[in-house]
Amino acid sequence: MVSSVVVIAGVGNGSGTGGAAARLFAKEGYTVALISRGSESLNVLASSINTSGGKAESFPVDAYGSDEITAAFSSIEARFPSPEYAITAAIFNAGHGVWKPFLQVTPEDVRESSKVNIEASFAFSRAAILAFQKNDPLPTTGAKGTLIFTGATASLRGNVVTSAFAAGKFALRALSQSLAKEFGKEDIHVAHGESADMSKGIATNNTRGDRNTPPSGPVENPKPHSLLSPESIATSYLYLVNQDRSSWTWELDLRPAHEKW
Ligand SMILES: *[C@@H]1O[C@H](CO)[C@@H](O)[C@H](O)[C@H]1NC(C)=O
Ligand SMILES: *[C@@H]1O[C@H](CO)[C@@H](O)[C@H](O)[C@H]1NC(C)=O
Ligand SMILES: *[C@@H]1O[C@H](CO)[C@@H](O)[C@H](O)[C@H]1NC(C)=O
């Protein structure tokens, strides 16, 4: 039997959306290939998935750039070759956030936002689509593969400190729309899941891409139901992957019930 592989880029220390998706997809029987910076926390996540009966392997990168992502994907395909394995899902959850008034934004901020949010996502998409094209449509959904991008409120609108961040996130959403149009007819599902101001409390500063307001420090006592849970986002990602091709979602806007925005 062919084993389905999900590739997830951007898992931080495993406490956010990437980590939750890794755990959920592993529980569903996927082999999980993790791409992220910081091999230590990647290995912690992979071995905790392994010890709970799943199968995960880490593919650390030094930086999110085109060459690094392409090389990581090659290692994944070498480690999990067809016909025993097929990459059927890929989640781009990496992001680079900059929250500064415009006149404080440096050329380096702009370069880094472009590199992670645009250059890396293009390389990730290219590798994922080339892998999906080798698959037969899955009998269950009719899809050859599903590519999901993690967006943010800043994918939809700019705000006072988000010029560099929103520019990167708008670009990611534009890529997602373009790929959904171009590859839908090849039975490749492309979806963008933007989520609200998820978790100011648990977000790491540079890897989370979901704040539209300046970091205001940990939320000590968040209002109940005003923060998205990474596990719920992961459940929605699994739902996207399981949709059949007669009714694909291409943009999913997740908002906590009690969000103020
Ligand atoms: C998890 O298990 C796989 C084999 O199923 C192995 O290749 C991998 O190295 C393990 N990862 C860790 C971090 O233990
Ligand atoms: C992950 O990082 C966040 C934010 O820096 C922190 O609150 C959390 O405790 C960390 N979790 C782990 C498992 O290290
Ligand atoms: C996040 O940024 C704040 C403000 O710039 C800083 O005080 C804090 O140490 C940073 N946290 C992490 C985990 O890098």
Side-chain angles (χ1 to χ4, degrees):
M1 207 183 84
V2 182
S3 181
S4 288
V5 178
V6 60
V7 181
I8 303 176
V11 297
N13 69 7
S15 68
T17 304
R23 287 185 288 273
L24 180 62
F25 278 72
K27 210 181 288 171
E28 290 291 307
Y30 284 78
T31 296
V32 181
L34 300 166
I35 300 176
S36 205
R37 295 178 287 201
S39 52
E40 210 168 292
S41 41
L42 258 191
N43 283 330
V44 170
L45 177 62
S47 44
S48 89
I49 288 172
N50 280 355
T51 50
S52 5
K55 188 169 172 188
E57 193 137 331
S58 18
F59 298 86
V61 291
D62 293 334
Y64 288 117
S66 197
D67 294 346
E68 290 86 349
I69 294 284
T70 304
F73 246 95
S74 300
S75 306
I76 291 167
E77 293 190 285
R79 173 66 183 85
F80 302 116
S82 58
E84 300 96 303
Y85 294 94
I87 296 173
T88 58
I91 300 172
F92 187 80
N93 186 60
H96 180 75
V98 179
W99 294 274
K100 288 182 180 176
F102 174 70
L103 294 178
Q104 291 173 21
V105 172
T106 65
E108 182 52 28
D109 289 330
V110 177
R111 260 193 301 273
E112 197 55 24
S113 180
S114 305
K115 193 163 180 198
V116 179
N117 297 315
I118 307 180
E119 185 185 316
S121 66
F122 269 69
F124 186 87
S125 301
R126 179 183 168 81
I129 286 167
L130 288 171
F132 296 160
Q133 282 178 329
K134 296 175 195 156
N135 299 339
D136 292 324
L138 291 170
T140 42
T141 63
K144 288 183 170 180
T146 304
L147 172 59
I148 298 173
F149 299 97
T150 296
T153 298
S155 312
L156 300 175
R157 59 180 199 189
N159 206 336
V160 289
V161 291
T162 59
S163 56
F165 178 45
K169 281 294 181 186
F170 270 52
L172 188 67
R173 181 159 167 255
L175 173 65
S176 178
Q177 289 187 4
S178 304
L179 298 180
K181 287 279 177 199
E182 185 173 351
F183 292 99
K185 49 186 167 308
E186 290 187 38
D187 300 313
I188 291 171
H189 183 186
V190 181
H192 181 270
E194 61 257 359
S195 23
D197 210 19
M198 180 173 85
S199 43
K200 284 182 183 127
I202 62 167
T204 55
N205 285 349
N206 290 321
T207 55
R208 288 252 35 95
D210 45 20
R211 291 178 296 183
N212 207 35
T213 47
S216 53
V219 178
E220 297 297 345
N221 296 300
K223 268 175 59 188
H225 315 296
S226 64
L227 297 178
L228 276 159
S229 112
E231 287 70 29
S232 299
I233 298 173
T235 302
S236 295
Y237 284 4
L238 184 65
Y239 159 78
L240 292 175
V241 167
N242 288 335
Q243 286 183 321
D244 82 83
R245 68 184 152 186
S246 75
S247 52
W248 278 346
T249 295
W250 66 282
E251 281 200 1
L252 188 65
D253 191 350
L254 298 169
R255 302 270 150 198
H258 297 191
E259 185 195 18
K260 213 173 132 194
W261 74 302

